[in-house]
Amino acid sequence: MANLSNAPVSSWDLLQLNLRFYETVTQNAERALADDKLDVKSFFLLATVEELKHPAALAQRLILPKPTVTFLIKKLEQARYVKRKTVTGDLRRFEIQLTQLGRKVCERGRKIMSDAFDASISLFTPKEREQYGELLKKIAAFKKVN
């Protein structure tokens, strides 16, 4: 990795730093998530179910293979955090719904992840935190058009 003192940082270096940051946040949250029988992937799937109810859409959003999503859904079903509901008019398709217990666990998980994130950016000044948020919003709004 390039010297980060005053040298320009390459795109590759930024990507690697971003991945390390994500890894740090998730590692700091894993032990607490395990109390609810969740790992990081399961938690993010659970947290996305209200927005995207179909396994294929969940796989695409979470950048996970479809078989992995199927496996995670089965784990979440066994824990009674989600349930499957067949789609009216197409018995081959189903959607995932959070249960009441799943909502409670999801809220705890969001708090755990938020606390881990806050700890990871605790050295930011309020201005740097605001700038970081603005940069992330800009990145999220970017859509590459080919």
Side-chain angles (χ1 to χ4, degrees):
M1 185 173 291
N3 176 359
L4 298 180
S5 57
N6 288 324
V9 182
S10 73
S11 296
W12 177 251
D13 290 339
L14 286 172
L15 180 60
Q16 293 301 302
L17 288 167
N18 191 49
L19 288 171
R20 286 187 195 154
F21 174 65
Y22 173 77
E23 184 179 48
T24 299
V25 171
T26 56
Q27 284 176 350
N28 289 337
E30 273 184 336
R31 191 171 293 135
L33 288 172
D35 291 344
D36 283 317
K37 298 181 176 88
L38 292 173
D39 57 30
V40 172
K41 289 178 188 174
S42 309
F43 166 70
F44 277 110
L45 190 143
L46 190 67
T48 309
V49 163
E50 295 244 272
E51 181 184 352
L52 303 172
K53 299 192 179 301
H54 300 283
L58 289 164
Q60 184 177 4
R61 168 71 59 84
L62 299 171
I63 314 170
L64 293 171
K66 290 178 185 177
T68 300
V69 169
T70 300
F71 172 77
L72 294 174
I73 289 170
K74 287 180 182 178
K75 271 181 52 177
L76 294 172
E77 276 184 301
Q78 288 173 348
R80 295 191 167 96
Y81 297 158
V82 299
K83 61 182 178 181
R84 294 177 199 229
K85 180 183 173 203
T86 54
V87 175
T88 307
D90 188 352
L91 298 177
R92 296 169 296 166
R93 289 184 41 126
F94 61 92
E95 59 184 35
I96 311 301
Q97 296 179 332
L98 279 179
T99 63
Q100 194 170 28
L101 176 60
R103 276 186 182 76
K104 288 179 185 175
V105 168
C106 192
E107 283 307 310
R108 277 196 302 269
R110 284 187 176 122
K111 170 105 173 75
I112 289 165
M113 291 300 293
S114 293
D115 290 349
F117 183 81
D118 285 341
S120 296
I121 63 168
S122 63
L123 296 177
F124 284 13
T125 65
K127 182 176 173 74
E128 288 170 331
R129 183 181 172 112
E130 185 178 326
Q131 289 171 329
Y132 183 64
E134 291 304 315
L135 290 171
L136 290 175
K137 286 177 190 174
K138 218 182 235 189
I139 291 167
F142 176 75
K143 302 262 191 256
K144 184 175 181 178
V145 178
N146 289 331

